[in-house]
Amino acid sequence: MNPYVLSTLLISLGLGTTLTFMSSHWLLAWMGLEINTLAIIPLMAQKHHPRAVEATTKYFLIQATAAAMILFAATTNAWINGQWDINQMSHPIPSSITMTALALKIGLAPLHLWLPEVMQGITLTTGLILSTWQKLAPLALIMQTANNAHPHLLTLLALTSTLIGGWGGLNQTQLRKILAYSSIAHLGWMILVSQMAPKMTLLALITYIIMTTATFLTLNNINSTKTVTLTHAWTKAPALAALTCLLLLSLGGLPPLTGFMPKWLIIQELANQGLALTATIIALTALISLYFYLRLTHALALTLSPQTTNATTPWRSPTKQPTLALSLTTVMATCLLPMTPTIFTLIT
């Protein structure tokens, strides 16, 4: 892609997200979401592959539907209350429609069916943008409207997302689909605590972005898009393969890695709010997600791919050099748990 075009699209992504962040009017927030959608579509379709075009078309249709629902809900709220302010959506009908539309936009279950298919059709780099940056603007709107939403609706979306996010990844062999289901599960944790402790939602989001960025950059570095190709990783980059195991376990929330921190604090907050049953359910669903992370770790560390004498040796294939971003995110995704007391003091 032309560097000038790429720069324009990336600047538009930043502009759309910033516009939604800074808006208190529904029309401006909707405009920011639309700029975001239109900016990422050329990035998704740049390979001109049938799967990429299919994924781009699905993404556009889903995002257009969600945007239309948001505009309808905002107009209905203005008709009922005479307010276009995001924080003034007090009527239950437009509030529920808005929350459903935002859930569709970011891929919360049971409105998640488009996300794994879209992720499978795009490159790892574009998948990284879709899994991290494209979640920021809708999540900002969810955090602003969570207090006016029905708590049972948020809890249902959150628990369904954590369950399906774990369950859906069990029988997958495509790494991009596994990371899509991982995204669904992590979003469930964020949504569950958004009403009672928005700062913990922000902490979970930042931790998720760090871990997902490190994972995508690692997979891009070792050119792996399937589980079977992970078995070649140790011959190309042994140290990076070992660190990838830690990254995957951190995504699963296994102590003493960084991914354990937000789950620990969220379960503690749920217990403090008297929601022991909800905390128990979401902790059990985390075990389902941990299974497929352990399966990937097994493929990386304990499986040797069968080689024939005619096969090209993996260490002779071209490899990419680790970057500064990969090094920083890998360290942060594995070593931030000792900072938990300091972070907890800052967010409380």
Side-chain angles (χ1 to χ4, degrees):
M1 182 177 285
N2 189 298
Y4 297 108
V5 175
L6 180 61
S7 301
T8 303
L9 294 175
L10 294 179
I11 290 171
S12 299
L13 278 175
L15 173 64
T17 304
T18 306
L19 186 61
T20 304
F21 281 172
M22 298 178 63
S23 301
S24 60
H25 195 285
W26 270 115
L27 281 181
L28 287 176
W30 172 82
M31 191 182 302
L33 293 174
E34 287 303 286
I35 293 173
N36 250 5
T37 301
L38 294 175
I40 198 174
I41 282 174
L43 295 175
M44 297 173 68
Q46 62 180 321
K47 292 296 183 182
H48 302 294
H49 190 274
R51 288 299 301 271
V53 175
E54 178 189 350
T56 306
T57 306
K58 288 178 180 177
Y59 182 77
F60 174 74
L61 292 175
I62 292 296
Q63 297 299 310
T65 304
M69 290 174 65
I70 291 172
L71 197 58
F72 172 73
T75 307
T76 305
N77 184 68
W79 180 38
I80 296 172
N81 298 329
Q83 289 283 345
W84 284 94
D85 197 311
I86 293 176
N87 296 318
Q88 298 297 325
M89 188 166 280
S90 55
H91 196 275
I93 294 178
S95 176
S96 299
I97 295 174
T98 303
M99 193 58 64
T100 305
L102 292 171
L104 177 62
K105 213 162 196 20
I106 61 177
L108 281 173
L111 307 169
H112 69 287
L113 296 174
W114 63 271
L115 183 57
E117 299 301 322
V118 169
M119 286 283 288
Q120 179 59 27
I122 58 181
T123 62
L124 285 170
T125 307
T126 313
L128 171 60
I129 299 174
L130 185 62
S131 298
T132 55
W133 188 264
Q134 292 298 95
K135 309 289 187 190
L136 296 179
L139 272 172
L141 293 177
I142 287 176
M143 291 175 67
Q144 291 182 72
T145 57
N147 290 330
N148 297 323
H150 199 289
H152 292 170
L153 175 62
L154 285 177
T155 305
L156 178 64
L157 287 171
L159 292 180
T160 308
S161 296
T162 54
L163 179 61
I164 291 182
W167 207 348
L170 290 180
N171 64 339
Q172 298 297 330
T173 58
Q174 299 289 336
L175 297 179
R176 283 167 290 186
K177 281 191 176 182
I178 289 175
L179 289 171
Y181 282 108
S182 170
S183 172
I184 295 167
H186 279 89
L187 286 171
W189 285 82
M190 299 175 207
I191 298 301
L192 184 60
V193 79
S194 59
Q195 271 189 324
M196 55 195 80
K199 291 183 179 179
M200 285 193 184
T201 301
L202 187 60
L203 172 64
L205 175 62
I206 293 171
T207 309
Y208 164 74
I209 288 175
I210 291 171
M211 295 186 297
T212 304
T213 303
T215 306
F216 269 100
L217 291 177
T218 302
L219 295 178
N220 191 41
N221 190 276
I222 60 179
N223 291 321
S224 291
T225 55
K226 300 178 183 178
T227 305
V228 68
T229 57
L230 290 177
T231 58
H232 299 292
W234 70 271
T235 57
K236 295 181 180 180
L240 193 58
L243 288 173
T244 306
C245 295
L246 296 179
L247 285 177
L248 293 171
L249 295 178
S250 183
L251 272 171
L254 199 68
L257 302 168
T258 303
F260 177 64
M261 175 173 55
K263 294 184 177 180
W264 174 20
L265 294 178
I266 288 172
I267 290 176
Q268 183 181 6
E269 180 66 26
L270 291 173
N272 291 338
Q273 296 288 337
L275 302 172
L277 179 60
T278 306
T280 304
I281 294 172
I282 200 169
L284 291 175
T285 59
L287 294 177
I288 304 175
S289 299
L290 184 60
Y291 172 77
F292 64 76
Y293 293 121
L294 284 171
R295 193 183 64 187
L296 295 180
T297 304
H298 175 269
L300 264 168
L302 300 174
T303 305
L304 178 62
S305 180
Q307 296 287 338
T308 63
T309 55
N310 296 325
T312 304
T313 48
W315 53 85
R316 291 183 183 174
S317 59
T319 56
K320 302 174 183 176
Q321 292 298 319
T323 60
L324 179 61
L326 174 59
S327 304
L328 287 177
T329 51
T330 301
V331 171
M332 295 174 70
T334 53
C335 301
L336 285 185
L337 188 64
M339 299 288 291
T340 302
T342 304
I343 295 172
F344 184 71
T345 303
L346 291 174
I347 67 175
T348 55

